[in-house]
Amino acid sequence: MKYKPMKNYKSLLFGLAVIGMNSLSAQNPIVRNQFSADPTARVFNGKVYVFPSHDIPAPEGKGLRKDWFCMADYHVFSSENLTDWTDHGVIVSQNKVAWVDSSSYSMWAPDCIERNGKYYFYFPANKNIAGPNGRKGFGIGVAVADKPEGPYIPQAEPIKGVNGIDPNVLIDKDGQAYLYWSMGNLFVAKLKENMLEIDSEPLAIPDLPQKGLKEGPYVFERKGVYYLTFPHVENKIERLEYAIGDNPMGPFKMTGVIMDESPENCWTNHQSIVQYNNQWYLFYHHNDYSPKFDKNRAIRVDSLFFDADGKIQKVIPTLRGVGVTSASQEIQIDRFSSKSEKGSAIAFLDSLNTFYGWKTILSKDAWIQYNTIDFGQKVLKKIQLKALSENGSTLRIRLDKVDGPVVAEVAIPKGNNWKTVEAKLAKQTTGIHHLVVALKDENPVEIDWVKFE
Ligand code: FUB
């Protein structure tokens, strides 16, 4: 995963206007070489930084319990265009924090915030010594850095008076900082100016649903309204809900659902909401790379919108995600925007190593559409595809919509191996367009990626 600067921003805006879109519409999941969960996104120094948990398959006999969450460390990722993400590597690990039980693999959902040029990274983990109540359990620690990427120096002890998971910090407009966390209820306490100690008794936030697990508080302020967002088990698995108030300590009034339960039964979800370049985004997770074990998750991002009265519009999860894809990079059309109901399917390239990604399978009359590709201003001459077709077939490539102009027809030779095939472009294409790949003949085709040169 290498960072590439966004190309040609003006042509992007122009292109979006041309195809009638009012927002940027990265592929999901956004971290593609490791499991990741519980993403807290923050805008620091003009970039988006994401601080997720780092799920791993549990080493035999390790962790809090069998078939459960297992995390030994944290990475941080950043992006300027929300499409290309840089992994800055491990910033905090269970072996390097004095108070953490390094056999617990319990480094759950974190947060990070900037104050006076310092970056405060908050993380929960199991303690290695019992607190004053005689119990070990989860504490919340802080690690401090001069840059968002670190290096982070962990404090020797967890925050006193706080037992729980899923820390989140809000610094209000008057400079007062608040720490939120969960442990059955959702809690809030003021933080001292040093950001390392609480400055008020923990308050269990009232008026929230009493039935069903609540966790993962994330609070933000918009136009004087404080939004308390959190995952809640209304039925069997978590969905993202929110309550609003006019004070960071509440009271908050339950207001709505941000994202429904996963149709694939991923038991947890976990959110953060951030505004970047005039667009709001929801960061969340799903178990894309681990469909059979939902404790190995993958983080995603989709656009989020508000109604005129400040209510959050429900976010429908997408595979396409956000951002602009360059026509000259391998376009993973399996992260589609839409596809034909019949004849189109998505499958792992290698079910034994899901991180190889997915392929698109098209059979009779099928098509698939991938939105918001930047063809740039230079004339591109050909299309390349990595594809395979047992009996040989032809693909028809269109722009913008299912019956849009045809830019190429690509013959896929008969065979059982992946081949890179190419065809000349029949039409000069510049600016931003959607891409439709459709089957022209009847014989099925599998497609790994598409790109333009
Ligand atoms: O990642 C472990 C736990 O699962 C988090 O702390 C919760 O919010 C849930 O996502």
Side-chain angles (χ1 to χ4, degrees):
M1 262 179 293
K2 261 177 78 197
Y3 165 73
K4 289 182 223 109
M6 183 189 269
K7 279 187 188 163
N8 210 342
Y9 193 64
K10 273 192 190 142
S11 88
L12 155 69
L13 294 178
F14 173 70
L16 290 173
V18 165
I19 54 182
M21 298 167 54
N22 56 10
S23 73
L24 297 183
S25 74
Q27 295 177 18
N28 285 324
I30 57 172
V31 172
R32 303 191 194 130
N33 62 354
Q34 59 195 278
F35 297 117
S36 55
D38 309 324
T40 295
R42 296 285 182 194
V43 178
F44 294 140
N45 312 319
K47 282 193 206 173
V48 175
Y49 285 81
V50 180
F51 298 84
S53 309
H54 179 198
D55 290 346
I56 52 173
E60 189 64 36
K62 303 281 189 194
L64 293 178
R65 64 193 221 217
K66 199 170 152 27
D67 295 331
W68 195 235
F69 305 106
C70 186
M71 299 92 134
D73 55 31
Y74 298 99
H75 288 228
V76 59
F77 301 85
S78 71
S79 177
E80 225 164 315
N81 62 5
L82 301 183
T83 297
D84 301 298
W85 291 87
T86 300
D87 179 357
H88 298 281
V90 173
I91 50 168
V92 172
S93 108
Q94 62 177 0
N95 302 327
K96 300 223 169 107
V97 185
W99 59 268
V100 169
D101 173 356
S102 59
S103 66
S104 64
Y105 291 80
S106 58
M107 308 203 83
W108 289 15
D111 191 7
C112 187
I113 202 140
E114 185 267 341
R115 174 159 222 156
N116 299 332
K118 296 265 183 217
Y119 296 84
Y120 296 86
F121 179 73
Y122 296 80
F123 59 98
N126 258 235
K127 297 182 264 194
N128 57 12
I129 41 171
N133 59 3
R135 279 190 277 130
K136 288 186 178 173
F138 272 95
I140 290 176
V142 193
V144 187
D146 292 325
K147 292 187 296 183
E149 301 84 355
Y152 283 87
I153 312 292
Q155 297 292 299
E157 290 183 12
I159 302 176
K160 287 197 178 62
V162 175
N163 296 303
I165 59 169
D166 297 355
N168 163 244
V169 175
L170 170 82
I171 304 180
D172 201 10
K173 289 170 288 187
D174 62 2
Q176 176 65 54
Y178 299 85
L179 175 69
Y180 303 83
W181 70 95
S182 62
M183 187 40 75
N185 281 312
L186 302 185
F187 292 88
V188 57
K190 286 185 180 170
L191 273 173
K192 290 190 181 165
E193 176 85 22
N194 66 15
M195 303 296 276
L196 305 172
E197 296 167 276
I198 54 172
D199 205 14
S200 67
E201 279 301 308
L203 168 77
I205 300 174
D207 308 325
L208 301 178
Q210 286 309 299
K211 218 180 110 232
L213 177 73
K214 300 183 286 296
E215 53 181 0
Y218 178 89
V219 178
F220 66 98
E221 181 268 340
R222 177 181 176 269
K223 296 186 179 174
V225 176
Y226 296 84
Y227 293 77
L228 167 63
T229 67
F230 57 96
H232 170 229
V233 181
E234 167 74 15
N235 298 305
K236 284 193 175 144
I237 62 173
E238 291 181 344
R239 66 181 195 190
L240 302 180
E241 300 180 5
Y242 73 106
I244 58 171
D246 57 10
N247 187 296
M249 297 196 76
F252 295 97
K253 181 174 177 309
M254 283 308 291
T255 306
V257 173
I258 305 171
M259 181 174 277
D260 285 326
E261 290 100 335
S262 145
E264 286 96 15
N265 285 321
C266 182
W267 179 59
T268 62
N269 200 349
H270 189 111
Q271 76 302 334
S272 59
I273 292 172
V274 75
Q275 190 183 27
Y276 182 60
N277 289 342
N278 296 319
Q279 173 65 51
W280 287 88
Y281 296 99
L282 173 73
F283 286 75
Y284 61 102
H285 69 224
H286 187 60
N287 55 332
D288 298 79
Y289 288 120
S290 176
K292 297 194 181 132
F293 180 57
D294 65 358
K295 311 292 179 296
N296 281 172
R297 300 156 293 179
I299 60 172
R300 294 172 162 205
V301 55
D302 275 303
S303 297
L304 176 141
F305 299 89
F306 292 86
D307 284 336
D309 64 1
K311 290 211 178 81
I312 297 176
Q313 293 178 9
K314 214 183 250 188
V315 178
I316 310 295
T318 75
L319 295 176
R320 174 63 186 86
V322 303
V324 177
T325 305
S326 161
S328 56
Q329 77 190 53
E330 292 175 5
I331 305 163
Q332 307 293 338
I333 55 172
D334 48 74
R335 309 293 85 196
F336 60 90
S337 307
S338 55
K339 65 182 185 59
S340 57
E341 237 170 75
K342 285 194 186 149
S344 61
I346 306 299
F348 283 118
L349 283 166
D350 179 348
S351 55
L352 297 179
N353 186 345
T354 57
F355 290 111
Y356 283 133
W358 295 264
K359 60 185 175 188
T360 302
I361 306 167
L362 299 180
S363 33
K364 194 170 171 338
D365 296 332
W367 55 268
I368 194 157
Q369 177 167 332
Y370 183 102
N371 287 356
T372 323
I373 300 175
D374 185 6
F375 286 82
Q377 293 306 320
K378 225 175 72 194
V379 173
L380 297 165
K381 298 208 168 89
K382 60 184 182 187
I383 179 172
Q384 270 192 352
L385 271 142
K386 188 172 170 194
L388 96 80
S389 173
E390 202 179 325
N391 296 310
S393 197
T394 306
L395 292 168
R396 190 172 266 159
I397 315 297
R398 295 180 187 268
L399 287 188
D400 298 331
K401 50 189 182 161
V402 180
D403 57 356
V406 177
V407 283
E409 290 198 347
V410 193
I412 317 296
K414 186 174 166 171
N416 287 316
N417 294 320
W418 288 103
K419 290 197 179 75
T420 303
V421 288
E422 52 184 53
K424 277 198 182 143
L425 290 182
K427 188 175 157 19
Q428 289 197 0
T429 304
T430 53
I432 302 283
H433 292 277
H434 303 332
L435 182 75
V436 177
V437 178
L439 202 67
K440 182 182 173 201
D441 296 341
E442 296 213 342
N443 292 338
V445 179
E446 299 188 6
I447 304 147
D448 184 0
W449 50 255
V450 178
K451 71 181 208 185
F452 295 85
E453 279 183 3

PDB file of all heavy atoms in Angstrom, residues 392-420:
ATOM      1  N   GLY A 392     -13.533 -19.145 -24.008  1.00  0.00           N
ATOM      2  CA  GLY A 392     -13.297 -17.929 -24.794  1.00  0.00           C
ATOM      3  C   GLY A 392     -14.562 -17.075 -24.843  1.00  0.00           C
ATOM      4  O   GLY A 392     -15.680 -17.596 -24.875  1.00  0.00           O
ATOM      5  N   SER A 393     -14.399 -15.750 -24.826  1.00  0.00           N
ATOM      6  CA  SER A 393     -15.577 -14.875 -24.816  1.00  0.00           C
ATOM      7  C   SER A 393     -15.172 -13.448 -25.183  1.00  0.00           C
ATOM      8  O   SER A 393     -13.989 -13.187 -25.462  1.00  0.00           O
ATOM      9  CB  SER A 393     -16.203 -14.902 -23.417  1.00  0.00           C
ATOM     10  OG  SER A 393     -17.511 -14.399 -23.445  1.00  0.00           O
ATOM     11  N   THR A 394     -16.125 -12.534 -25.204  1.00  0.00           N
ATOM     12  CA  THR A 394     -15.821 -11.127 -25.496  1.00  0.00           C
ATOM     13  C   THR A 394     -16.489 -10.227 -24.469  1.00  0.00           C
ATOM     14  O   THR A 394     -17.649 -10.435 -24.099  1.00  0.00           O
ATOM     15  CB  THR A 394     -16.336 -10.740 -26.901  1.00  0.00           C
ATOM     16  OG1 THR A 394     -15.790 -11.670 -27.828  1.00  0.00           O
ATOM     17  CG2 THR A 394     -15.923  -9.337 -27.289  1.00  0.00           C
ATOM     18  N   LEU A 395     -15.748  -9.218 -24.049  1.00  0.00           N
ATOM     19  CA  LEU A 395     -16.318  -8.231 -23.116  1.00  0.00           C
ATOM     20  C   LEU A 395     -16.527  -6.914 -23.830  1.00  0.00           C
ATOM     21  O   LEU A 395     -15.718  -6.528 -24.689  1.00  0.00           O
ATOM     22  CB  LEU A 395     -15.367  -8.007 -21.934  1.00  0.00           C
ATOM     23  CG  LEU A 395     -15.208  -9.180 -20.977  1.00  0.00           C
ATOM     24  CD1 LEU A 395     -14.036  -8.926 -20.036  1.00  0.00           C
ATOM     25  CD2 LEU A 395     -16.490  -9.420 -20.188  1.00  0.00           C
ATOM     26  N   ARG A 396     -17.602  -6.249 -23.468  1.00  0.00           N
ATOM     27  CA  ARG A 396     -17.873  -4.923 -24.050  1.00  0.00           C
ATOM     28  C   ARG A 396     -17.707  -3.890 -22.922  1.00  0.00           C
ATOM     29  O   ARG A 396     -18.283  -4.051 -21.839  1.00  0.00           O
ATOM     30  CB  ARG A 396     -19.310  -4.915 -24.563  1.00  0.00           C
ATOM     31  CG  ARG A 396     -19.626  -3.720 -25.375  1.00  0.00           C
ATOM     32  CD  ARG A 396     -20.978  -3.873 -25.998  1.00  0.00           C
ATOM     33  NE  ARG A 396     -20.923  -4.424 -27.345  1.00  0.00           N
ATOM     34  CZ  ARG A 396     -21.955  -5.010 -27.934  1.00  0.00           C
ATOM     35  NH1 ARG A 396     -23.100  -5.174 -27.275  1.00  0.00           N
ATOM     36  NH2 ARG A 396     -21.852  -5.438 -29.169  1.00  0.00           N
ATOM     37  N   ILE A 397     -16.905  -2.870 -23.209  1.00  0.00           N
ATOM     38  CA  ILE A 397     -16.595  -1.866 -22.174  1.00  0.00           C
ATOM     39  C   ILE A 397     -17.320  -0.565 -22.516  1.00  0.00           C
ATOM     40  O   ILE A 397     -17.166  -0.022 -23.611  1.00  0.00           O
ATOM     41  CB  ILE A 397     -15.069  -1.581 -22.118  1.00  0.00           C
ATOM     42  CG1 ILE A 397     -14.274  -2.885 -22.161  1.00  0.00           C
ATOM     43  CG2 ILE A 397     -14.704  -0.731 -20.916  1.00  0.00           C
ATOM     44  CD1 ILE A 397     -14.482  -3.832 -21.027  1.00  0.00           C
ATOM     45  N   ARG A 398     -18.133  -0.092 -21.583  1.00  0.00           N
ATOM     46  CA  ARG A 398     -18.884   1.152 -21.809  1.00  0.00           C
ATOM     47  C   ARG A 398     -18.523   2.190 -20.750  1.00  0.00           C
ATOM     48  O   ARG A 398     -18.012   1.838 -19.686  1.00  0.00           O
ATOM     49  CB  ARG A 398     -20.389   0.885 -21.728  1.00  0.00           C
ATOM     50  CG  ARG A 398     -20.917  -0.030 -22.826  1.00  0.00           C
ATOM     51  CD  ARG A 398     -22.407  -0.198 -22.593  1.00  0.00           C
ATOM     52  NE  ARG A 398     -23.005  -1.180 -23.464  1.00  0.00           N
ATOM     53  CZ  ARG A 398     -23.552  -0.886 -24.650  1.00  0.00           C
ATOM     54  NH1 ARG A 398     -23.574   0.357 -25.093  1.00  0.00           N
ATOM     55  NH2 ARG A 398     -24.083  -1.848 -25.377  1.00  0.00           N
ATOM     56  N   LEU A 399     -18.892   3.439 -21.058  1.00  0.00           N
ATOM     57  CA  LEU A 399     -18.634   4.521 -20.110  1.00  0.00           C
ATOM     58  C   LEU A 399     -19.929   4.988 -19.471  1.00  0.00           C
ATOM     59  O   LEU A 399     -20.987   5.022 -20.125  1.00  0.00           O
ATOM     60  CB  LEU A 399     -18.019   5.726 -20.810  1.00  0.00           C
ATOM     61  CG  LEU A 399     -16.568   5.609 -21.255  1.00  0.00           C
ATOM     62  CD1 LEU A 399     -16.078   6.972 -21.756  1.00  0.00           C
ATOM     63  CD2 LEU A 399     -15.663   5.106 -20.145  1.00  0.00           C
ATOM     64  N   ASP A 400     -19.852   5.315 -18.236  1.00  0.00           N
ATOM     65  CA  ASP A 400     -20.877   6.060 -17.482  1.00  0.00           C
ATOM     66  C   ASP A 400     -22.144   5.287 -17.111  1.00  0.00           C
ATOM     67  O   ASP A 400     -22.695   5.485 -16.047  1.00  0.00           O
ATOM     68  CB  ASP A 400     -21.263   7.365 -18.198  1.00  0.00           C
ATOM     69  CG  ASP A 400     -20.055   8.274 -18.303  1.00  0.00           C
ATOM     70  OD1 ASP A 400     -19.182   8.190 -17.421  1.00  0.00           O
ATOM     71  OD2 ASP A 400     -19.958   9.026 -19.273  1.00  0.00           O
ATOM     72  N   LYS A 401     -22.710   4.497 -18.008  1.00  0.00           N
ATOM     73  CA  LYS A 401     -23.924   3.759 -17.651  1.00  0.00           C
ATOM     74  C   LYS A 401     -24.061   2.511 -18.509  1.00  0.00           C
ATOM     75  O   LYS A 401     -23.333   2.369 -19.509  1.00  0.00           O
ATOM     76  CB  LYS A 401     -25.162   4.646 -17.746  1.00  0.00           C
ATOM     77  CG  LYS A 401     -25.279   5.392 -19.035  1.00  0.00           C
ATOM     78  CD  LYS A 401     -26.413   6.401 -18.941  1.00  0.00           C
ATOM     79  CE  LYS A 401     -26.511   7.086 -20.279  1.00  0.00           C
ATOM     80  NZ  LYS A 401     -27.674   7.759 -20.609  1.00  0.00           N
ATOM     81  N   VAL A 402     -25.021   1.656 -18.131  1.00  0.00           N
ATOM     82  CA  VAL A 402     -25.147   0.350 -18.772  1.00  0.00           C
ATOM     83  C   VAL A 402     -25.345   0.459 -20.279  1.00  0.00           C
ATOM     84  O   VAL A 402     -24.868  -0.380 -21.039  1.00  0.00           O
ATOM     85  CB  VAL A 402     -26.312  -0.423 -18.114  1.00  0.00           C
ATOM     86  CG1 VAL A 402     -26.487  -1.778 -18.753  1.00  0.00           C
ATOM     87  CG2 VAL A 402     -26.037  -0.604 -16.646  1.00  0.00           C
ATOM     88  N   ASP A 403     -26.014   1.530 -20.733  1.00  0.00           N
ATOM     89  CA  ASP A 403     -26.158   1.694 -22.177  1.00  0.00           C
ATOM     90  C   ASP A 403     -25.322   2.881 -22.671  1.00  0.00           C
ATOM     91  O   ASP A 403     -25.629   3.489 -23.686  1.00  0.00           O
ATOM     92  CB  ASP A 403     -27.636   1.850 -22.560  1.00  0.00           C
ATOM     93  CG  ASP A 403     -28.264   3.008 -21.823  1.00  0.00           C
ATOM     94  OD1 ASP A 403     -27.571   3.621 -20.976  1.00  0.00           O
ATOM     95  OD2 ASP A 403     -29.445   3.315 -22.077  1.00  0.00           O
ATOM     96  N   GLY A 404     -24.275   3.212 -21.937  1.00  0.00           N
ATOM     97  CA  GLY A 404     -23.391   4.323 -22.328  1.00  0.00           C
ATOM     98  C   GLY A 404     -22.537   3.958 -23.531  1.00  0.00           C
ATOM     99  O   GLY A 404     -22.574   2.817 -24.023  1.00  0.00           O
ATOM    100  N   PRO A 405     -21.754   4.934 -24.018  1.00  0.00           N
ATOM    101  CA  PRO A 405     -20.938   4.690 -25.211  1.00  0.00           C
ATOM    102  C   PRO A 405     -19.920   3.555 -25.025  1.00  0.00           C
ATOM    103  O   PRO A 405     -19.292   3.450 -23.974  1.00  0.00           O
ATOM    104  CB  PRO A 405     -20.211   6.021 -25.423  1.00  0.00           C
ATOM    105  CG  PRO A 405     -20.369   6.777 -24.150  1.00  0.00           C
ATOM    106  CD  PRO A 405     -21.593   6.281 -23.479  1.00  0.00           C
ATOM    107  N   VAL A 406     -19.804   2.740 -26.078  1.00  0.00           N
ATOM    108  CA  VAL A 406     -18.849   1.623 -26.044  1.00  0.00           C
ATOM    109  C   VAL A 406     -17.459   2.169 -26.349  1.00  0.00           C
ATOM    110  O   VAL A 406     -17.259   2.841 -27.359  1.00  0.00           O
ATOM    111  CB  VAL A 406     -19.228   0.554 -27.098  1.00  0.00           C
ATOM    112  CG1 VAL A 406     -18.200  -0.575 -27.126  1.00  0.00           C
ATOM    113  CG2 VAL A 406     -20.630   0.008 -26.808  1.00  0.00           C
ATOM    114  N   VAL A 407     -16.480   1.911 -25.471  1.00  0.00           N
ATOM    115  CA  VAL A 407     -15.113   2.392 -25.728  1.00  0.00           C
ATOM    116  C   VAL A 407     -14.202   1.275 -26.196  1.00  0.00           C
ATOM    117  O   VAL A 407     -13.144   1.531 -26.760  1.00  0.00           O
ATOM    118  CB  VAL A 407     -14.461   3.088 -24.516  1.00  0.00           C
ATOM    119  CG1 VAL A 407     -14.992   4.481 -24.349  1.00  0.00           C
ATOM    120  CG2 VAL A 407     -14.610   2.271 -23.253  1.00  0.00           C
ATOM    121  N   ALA A 408     -14.577   0.018 -25.970  1.00  0.00           N
ATOM    122  CA  ALA A 408     -13.728  -1.087 -26.436  1.00  0.00           C
ATOM    123  C   ALA A 408     -14.483  -2.404 -26.370  1.00  0.00           C
ATOM    124  O   ALA A 408     -15.454  -2.540 -25.606  1.00  0.00           O
ATOM    125  CB  ALA A 408     -12.468  -1.195 -25.581  1.00  0.00           C
ATOM    126  N   GLU A 409     -14.037  -3.338 -27.200  1.00  0.00           N
ATOM    127  CA  GLU A 409     -14.466  -4.730 -27.069  1.00  0.00           C
ATOM    128  C   GLU A 409     -13.198  -5.544 -26.879  1.00  0.00           C
ATOM    129  O   GLU A 409     -12.223  -5.348 -27.611  1.00  0.00           O
ATOM    130  CB  GLU A 409     -15.227  -5.185 -28.303  1.00  0.00           C
ATOM    131  CG  GLU A 409     -16.584  -4.488 -28.362  1.00  0.00           C
ATOM    132  CD  GLU A 409     -17.590  -5.165 -29.282  1.00  0.00           C
ATOM    133  OE1 GLU A 409     -17.202  -6.041 -30.076  1.00  0.00           O
ATOM    134  OE2 GLU A 409     -18.765  -4.800 -29.188  1.00  0.00           O
ATOM    135  N   VAL A 410     -13.194  -6.408 -25.901  1.00  0.00           N
ATOM    136  CA  VAL A 410     -11.964  -7.150 -25.590  1.00  0.00           C
ATOM    137  C   VAL A 410     -12.228  -8.637 -25.726  1.00  0.00           C
ATOM    138  O   VAL A 410     -13.111  -9.188 -25.053  1.00  0.00           O
ATOM    139  CB  VAL A 410     -11.481  -6.850 -24.149  1.00  0.00           C
ATOM    140  CG1 VAL A 410     -10.058  -7.352 -23.970  1.00  0.00           C
ATOM    141  CG2 VAL A 410     -11.588  -5.381 -23.822  1.00  0.00           C
ATOM    142  N   ALA A 411     -11.471  -9.290 -26.604  1.00  0.00           N
ATOM    143  CA  ALA A 411     -11.621 -10.745 -26.786  1.00  0.00           C
ATOM    144  C   ALA A 411     -10.786 -11.460 -25.728  1.00  0.00           C
ATOM    145  O   ALA A 411      -9.608 -11.141 -25.526  1.00  0.00           O
ATOM    146  CB  ALA A 411     -11.146 -11.141 -28.169  1.00  0.00           C
ATOM    147  N   ILE A 412     -11.423 -12.387 -25.028  1.00  0.00           N
ATOM    148  CA  ILE A 412     -10.719 -13.176 -24.009  1.00  0.00           C
ATOM    149  C   ILE A 412     -10.491 -14.563 -24.592  1.00  0.00           C
ATOM    150  O   ILE A 412     -11.459 -15.283 -24.877  1.00  0.00           O
ATOM    151  CB  ILE A 412     -11.554 -13.312 -22.696  1.00  0.00           C
ATOM    152  CG1 ILE A 412     -12.199 -11.968 -22.306  1.00  0.00           C
ATOM    153  CG2 ILE A 412     -10.690 -13.897 -21.581  1.00  0.00           C
ATOM    154  CD1 ILE A 412     -11.233 -10.872 -21.972  1.00  0.00           C
ATOM    155  N   PRO A 413      -9.222 -14.933 -24.802  1.00  0.00           N
ATOM    156  CA  PRO A 413      -8.952 -16.234 -25.440  1.00  0.00           C
ATOM    157  C   PRO A 413      -9.346 -17.399 -24.535  1.00  0.00           C
ATOM    158  O   PRO A 413      -9.379 -17.266 -23.301  1.00  0.00           O
ATOM    159  CB  PRO A 413      -7.445 -16.217 -25.682  1.00  0.00           C
ATOM    160  CG  PRO A 413      -6.898 -15.154 -24.817  1.00  0.00           C
ATOM    161  CD  PRO A 413      -7.984 -14.209 -24.460  1.00  0.00           C
ATOM    162  N   LYS A 414      -9.642 -18.518 -25.215  1.00  0.00           N
ATOM    163  CA  LYS A 414     -10.014 -19.737 -24.520  1.00  0.00           C
ATOM    164  C   LYS A 414      -8.858 -20.237 -23.646  1.00  0.00           C
ATOM    165  O   LYS A 414      -7.711 -20.230 -24.082  1.00  0.00           O
ATOM    166  CB  LYS A 414     -10.323 -20.757 -25.637  1.00  0.00           C
ATOM    167  CG  LYS A 414     -10.854 -22.044 -25.253  1.00  0.00           C
ATOM    168  CD  LYS A 414     -11.196 -22.749 -26.571  1.00  0.00           C
ATOM    169  CE  LYS A 414     -11.421 -24.213 -26.237  1.00  0.00           C
ATOM    170  NZ  LYS A 414     -11.952 -24.977 -27.316  1.00  0.00           N
ATOM    171  N   GLY A 415      -9.156 -20.664 -22.419  1.00  0.00           N
ATOM    172  CA  GLY A 415      -8.089 -21.223 -21.581  1.00  0.00           C
ATOM    173  C   GLY A 415      -8.455 -21.231 -20.118  1.00  0.00           C
ATOM    174  O   GLY A 415      -9.398 -20.567 -19.701  1.00  0.00           O
ATOM    175  N   ASN A 416      -7.662 -22.017 -19.365  1.00  0.00           N
ATOM    176  CA  ASN A 416      -7.953 -22.127 -17.933  1.00  0.00           C
ATOM    177  C   ASN A 416      -6.999 -21.329 -17.058  1.00  0.00           C
ATOM    178  O   ASN A 416      -7.029 -21.448 -15.841  1.00  0.00           O
ATOM    179  CB  ASN A 416      -7.892 -23.597 -17.501  1.00  0.00           C
ATOM    180  CG  ASN A 416      -9.100 -24.337 -18.030  1.00  0.00           C
ATOM    181  OD1 ASN A 416     -10.222 -23.832 -17.951  1.00  0.00           O
ATOM    182  ND2 ASN A 416      -8.869 -25.500 -18.620  1.00  0.00           N
ATOM    183  N   ASN A 417      -6.138 -20.520 -17.699  1.00  0.00           N
ATOM    184  CA  ASN A 417      -5.194 -19.717 -16.910  1.00  0.00           C
ATOM    185  C   ASN A 417      -5.492 -18.238 -17.075  1.00  0.00           C
ATOM    186  O   ASN A 417      -5.996 -17.803 -18.114  1.00  0.00           O
ATOM    187  CB  ASN A 417      -3.761 -19.968 -17.377  1.00  0.00           C
ATOM    188  CG  ASN A 417      -3.353 -21.387 -17.092  1.00  0.00           C
ATOM    189  OD1 ASN A 417      -3.689 -21.934 -16.038  1.00  0.00           O
ATOM    190  ND2 ASN A 417      -2.662 -21.996 -18.050  1.00  0.00           N
ATOM    191  N   TRP A 418      -5.110 -17.477 -16.062  1.00  0.00           N
ATOM    192  CA  TRP A 418      -5.266 -16.024 -16.142  1.00  0.00           C
ATOM    193  C   TRP A 418      -4.367 -15.474 -17.242  1.00  0.00           C
ATOM    194  O   TRP A 418      -3.209 -15.893 -17.355  1.00  0.00           O
ATOM    195  CB  TRP A 418      -4.867 -15.373 -14.816  1.00  0.00           C
ATOM    196  CG  TRP A 418      -5.850 -15.616 -13.712  1.00  0.00           C
ATOM    197  CD1 TRP A 418      -5.722 -16.491 -12.694  1.00  0.00           C
ATOM    198  CD2 TRP A 418      -7.103 -14.945 -13.532  1.00  0.00           C
ATOM    199  NE1 TRP A 418      -6.823 -16.422 -11.874  1.00  0.00           N
ATOM    200  CE2 TRP A 418      -7.688 -15.478 -12.367  1.00  0.00           C
ATOM    201  CE3 TRP A 418      -7.794 -13.954 -14.228  1.00  0.00           C
ATOM    202  CZ2 TRP A 418      -8.921 -15.059 -11.895  1.00  0.00           C
ATOM    203  CZ3 TRP A 418      -9.031 -13.536 -13.755  1.00  0.00           C
ATOM    204  CH2 TRP A 418      -9.579 -14.080 -12.605  1.00  0.00           C
ATOM    205  N   LYS A 419      -4.927 -14.573 -18.062  1.00  0.00           N
ATOM    206  CA  LYS A 419      -4.122 -13.930 -19.110  1.00  0.00           C
ATOM    207  C   LYS A 419      -4.336 -12.427 -19.035  1.00  0.00           C
ATOM    208  O   LYS A 419      -5.437 -11.972 -18.706  1.00  0.00           O
ATOM    209  CB  LYS A 419      -4.597 -14.384 -20.487  1.00  0.00           C
ATOM    210  CG  LYS A 419      -4.277 -15.831 -20.769  1.00  0.00           C
ATOM    211  CD  LYS A 419      -4.377 -16.100 -22.278  1.00  0.00           C
ATOM    212  CE  LYS A 419      -4.043 -17.535 -22.586  1.00  0.00           C
ATOM    213  NZ  LYS A 419      -5.102 -18.482 -22.219  1.00  0.00           N
ATOM    214  N   THR A 420      -3.288 -11.660 -19.372  1.00  0.00           N
ATOM    215  CA  THR A 420      -3.483 -10.221 -19.497  1.00  0.00           C
ATOM    216  C   THR A 420      -3.761  -9.943 -20.965  1.00  0.00           C
ATOM    217  O   THR A 420      -2.941 -10.251 -21.836  1.00  0.00           O
ATOM    218  CB  THR A 420      -2.230  -9.464 -19.022  1.00  0.00           C
ATOM    219  OG1 THR A 420      -1.978  -9.862 -17.685  1.00  0.00           O
ATOM    220  CG2 THR A 420      -2.443  -7.962 -19.057  1.00  0.00           C
TER     221      THR A 420
END
